Amino acid sequence: MRTKEEMEEKIEKLNDITVALRAEEDNLSNEQKVILAGSELQSIMLTSLLINTEEQTRELLEKFERRAEELDAKYVEASEANNAELKARIHGMIWTNDIRLDTIKWVLEVEPEVF
């Protein structure tokens, strides 16, 4: 598991990115807005994980892995129903869940799966 210092350093870097992007918020491209949102979410996740034990963090990993399976199934259902609006909403939920998973895996030093 990553040390508290490593996590704090990563939080600081993410916060620097956030501050820089917020300073230009009126002129951000969609890609930069996605980076901003992702950086903020990752920083929040890391901050909350600072106080967790390794066991608690592993439990969160399992929770978000189950959530990923649920969201994937819902996405398939929305695709089969040809429901573009629902697919778009679920895609956003999958994206945020993936950030959570990647952050937790980084903290636990678990190699992400490559597809």
Side-chain angles (χ1 to χ4, degrees), residues 29-75:
S29 67
N30 285 340
E31 183 179 67
Q32 290 170 316
K33 289 176 184 177
V34 169
I35 292 168
L36 175 61
S39 296
E40 289 175 330
L41 177 56
Q42 192 174 26
S43 178
I44 291 166
M45 280 298 299
L46 285 169
T47 301
S48 69
L49 293 172
L50 278 173
I51 60 171
N52 284 4
T53 63
E54 184 170 347
E55 181 181 344
Q56 291 169 318
T57 304
R58 289 197 182 280
E59 288 172 3
L60 274 177
L61 177 62
E62 291 173 12
K63 173 187 172 184
F64 288 118
E65 285 176 334
R66 285 190 305 272
R67 179 74 173 145
E69 292 172 8
E70 293 168 6
L71 289 171
D72 287 344
K74 287 180 181 183
Y75 189 84

Side-chain angles (χ1 to χ4, degrees), residues 6-38:
E6 288 174 301
M7 293 169 63
E8 288 172 342
E9 183 179 323
K10 179 104 171 176
I11 291 168
E12 188 175 321
K13 288 178 184 177
L14 289 165
N15 288 343
D16 288 346
I17 291 168
T18 301
V19 167
L21 288 172
R22 285 262 177 236
E24 300 293 324
E25 196 163 11
D26 293 336
N27 302 317
L28 295 181
S29 67
N30 285 340
E31 183 179 67
Q32 290 170 316
K33 289 176 184 177
V34 169
I35 292 168
L36 175 61

